[in-house]
């Protein structure tokens, strides 16, 4: 176990992260929670989302307008694109949070 | 902003508020606008986390936390977040530090924590106990390192959303004034701007 003070940080900030994760994955939206979970876990359909979500996860600064336009052309709404973008970003952020806290024994 | 429908806020009160921020030369940026457009799924919980991580009780000063945010953003090559958070850090710290952080300008503990969050951002699967030891040797407590990890979480999320959707500032003046507002007032938006979400369109899949 890590020090009590590190545990105190986790007990203070952890619930905020959990609330955000719940909101992103389970709030009413244009996509289903299942689609958002797939995006979060890196398992979203390439057929639907093309290279866009992989770019968001790996090097978001390389995303170009055409990547998003391709999704719009396929019929995805702005709300749907926003939701899967946030979900994919969340998955990468969670991976780093879990890695960092595990090193602290949390 | 790549989502054309998100370029216009849905409610009159939100558009009026945005107009006010434009008038004072500190336009609410696309992050803030996205929070107003999607308050339940995104804005409220994300801002609550940001406020607690960046302005709540901490082992780090506000300037040090903003510097760590800028460092994470630099590791993700997120120009938008680098610009905002390095500006806040450089104003909040005793002296501008972001450009020289790798040279130790912020002092041993901040520099060690910054190196830790850089590796956590760019190569998380290569990290091990030695990375924690290096921060401990520089005087970083486990609580302070845990706080740095939450900053890394927040900006690994935010950088990807910002660059995936091409969030921008209207001008450099708006960016600088907006950063100063964030430095002074934190990550809260007036409650009257948040309303129940619009009924979503039919689900896909």
């Amino acid at each position: 176990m890590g020090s009590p003070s590190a545990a105190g940080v986790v007990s203070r900030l952890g619930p905020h992260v959990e609330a955000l994760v719940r909101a992103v994955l389970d709030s009413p939206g244009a996509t289903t929670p299942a689609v958002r979970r797939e995006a979060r876990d890196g398992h979203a359909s390439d057929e639907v989302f093309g290279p866009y979500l992989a770019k968001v996860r790996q090097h978001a600064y390389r995303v170009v307008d055409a990547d998003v336009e391709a999704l719009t052309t396929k019929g995805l709404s702005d709300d749907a694109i926003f939701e899967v973008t946030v979900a994919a970003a969340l998955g990468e952020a969670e991976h780093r949070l879990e890695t960092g806290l595990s090193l602290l024994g949390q | 902003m790549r989502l054309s429908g998100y370029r216009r806020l849905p409610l009159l009160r939100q558009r009026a508020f945005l107009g006010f921020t434009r008038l004072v030369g500190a336009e609410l940026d696309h992050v803030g606008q996205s929070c107003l457009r999607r308050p339940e799924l995104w804005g409220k919980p994300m801002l609550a986390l940001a406020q607690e991580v960046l302005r709540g009780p901490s082992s780090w000063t506000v300037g040090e936390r903003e510097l760590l945010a800028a460092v994470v953003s630099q590791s993700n090559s997120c120009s938008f977040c680098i610009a905002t958070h390095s500006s806040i850090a450089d104003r909040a710290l005793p002296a501008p530090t972001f450009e020289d952080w790798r040279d130790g300008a912020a002092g041993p503990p901040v520099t060690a924590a910054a190196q830790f969050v850089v590796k956590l951002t760019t190569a998380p699967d290569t990290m091990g106990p030695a990375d924690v030891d290096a921060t401990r040797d520089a005087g970083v407590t486990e609580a302070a390192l845990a706080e740095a990890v939450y900053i890394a979480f927040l900006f690994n999320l935010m950088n990807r959303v910002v660059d995936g959707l091409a969030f921008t500032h209207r001008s450099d003046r708006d960016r600088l004034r907006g950063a100063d507002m964030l430095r002074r007032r934190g990550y809260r938006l007036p409650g009257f701007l948040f309303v129940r979400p619009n009924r979503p369109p039919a689900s896909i899949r």
Side-chain angles (χ1 to χ4, degrees):
Chain A
M1 290 297 291
S3 71
S5 52
V9 172
V10 173
S11 67
R12 181 169 63 85
L13 298 178
H16 286 284
V17 172
E18 291 162 13
L20 176 61
V21 171
R22 279 197 307 273
V24 169
L25 297 180
D26 295 330
S27 295
T31 55
T32 63
V35 166
R36 277 175 256 163
R37 279 180 166 74
E38 288 172 358
R40 190 267 299 261
D41 296 339
H43 301 141
S45 164
D46 288 342
E47 196 175 320
V48 177
F49 298 106
Y52 173 68
L53 291 182
K55 280 189 173 182
V56 168
R57 296 178 71 93
Q58 294 162 19
H59 33 240
Y61 65 94
R62 292 187 189 168
V63 172
V64 294
D65 293 350
D67 294 320
V68 175
E69 288 164 5
L71 303 185
T72 304
T73 301
K74 287 179 183 172
L76 270 72
S77 67
D78 286 349
D79 282 339
I81 296 168
F82 182 81
E83 290 162 17
V84 295
T85 301
V86 173
L90 181 66
E92 290 298 310
E94 285 184 287
H95 176 49
R96 284 154 180 82
L97 178 65
E98 289 160 6
T99 299
L101 294 182
S102 71
L103 290 170
L104 288 168
Q106 297 301 310
Chain B
M1 168 68 92
R2 294 193 169 107
L3 303 179
S4 58
Y6 276 43
R7 292 177 193 145
R8 179 179 167 83
L9 291 169
L11 295 177
L12 178 59
R13 74 185 83 168
Q14 295 173 337
R15 295 195 294 275
F17 180 78
L18 180 62
F20 170 75
T21 63
R22 284 175 175 157
L23 270 178
V24 298
E27 184 185 66
L28 182 70
D29 65 23
H30 285 154
V31 174
Q33 292 179 45
S34 72
C35 289
L36 296 182
R37 177 159 282 277
R38 301 303 300 267
E40 305 301 330
L41 182 138
W42 169 244
K44 288 180 182 176
M46 191 280 290
L47 289 174
L49 175 66
Q51 179 69 20
E52 193 65 25
V53 168
L54 297 171
R55 294 294 182 273
S58 175
S59 308
W60 306 106
T61 67
V62 167
E64 289 167 343
R65 281 178 271 175
E66 293 285 351
L67 180 67
L68 292 172
V71 165
V72 172
S73 303
Q74 185 179 48
S75 299
N76 284 323
S77 301
C78 180
S79 302
F80 178 97
C81 291
I82 294 169
T84 292
H85 297 281
S86 68
S87 176
I88 300 172
D90 282 349
R91 288 180 187 216
L93 289 167
T97 301
F98 176 68
E99 286 294 326
D100 300 323
W101 79 262
R102 290 182 188 279
D103 299 329
V110 179
T111 304
Q115 290 166 338
F116 185 93
V117 296
V118 165
K119 190 171 179 183
L120 187 61
T121 296
T122 58
D125 296 330
T126 68
M127 298 195 78
D131 295 301
V132 176
D133 293 342
T135 66
R136 189 180 296 122
D137 292 346
V140 180
T141 66
E142 287 209 351
L145 191 58
E147 290 165 352
V149 168
Y150 278 95
I151 294 172
F153 166 80
L154 180 61
F155 283 87
N156 271 286
L157 168 64
M158 189 59 65
N159 295 161
R160 285 170 172 79
V161 174
V162 162
D163 277 340
L165 301 177
F167 288 179
T168 56
H169 296 99
R170 188 176 61 156
S171 70
D172 208 42
R173 185 181 80 144
D174 287 72
R175 173 183 68 79
L176 288 169
R177 288 195 179 180
D180 199 46
M181 295 279 279
L182 290 172
R183 179 179 65 82
R184 288 187 285 116
R185 301 193 178 186
Y187 294 84
R188 293 193 179 103
L189 284 170
F192 74 90
L193 295 171
F194 289 101
V195 294
R196 297 178 64 181
N198 298 330
R199 182 60 55 197
S203 295
I204 63 167
R205 308 268 143 193

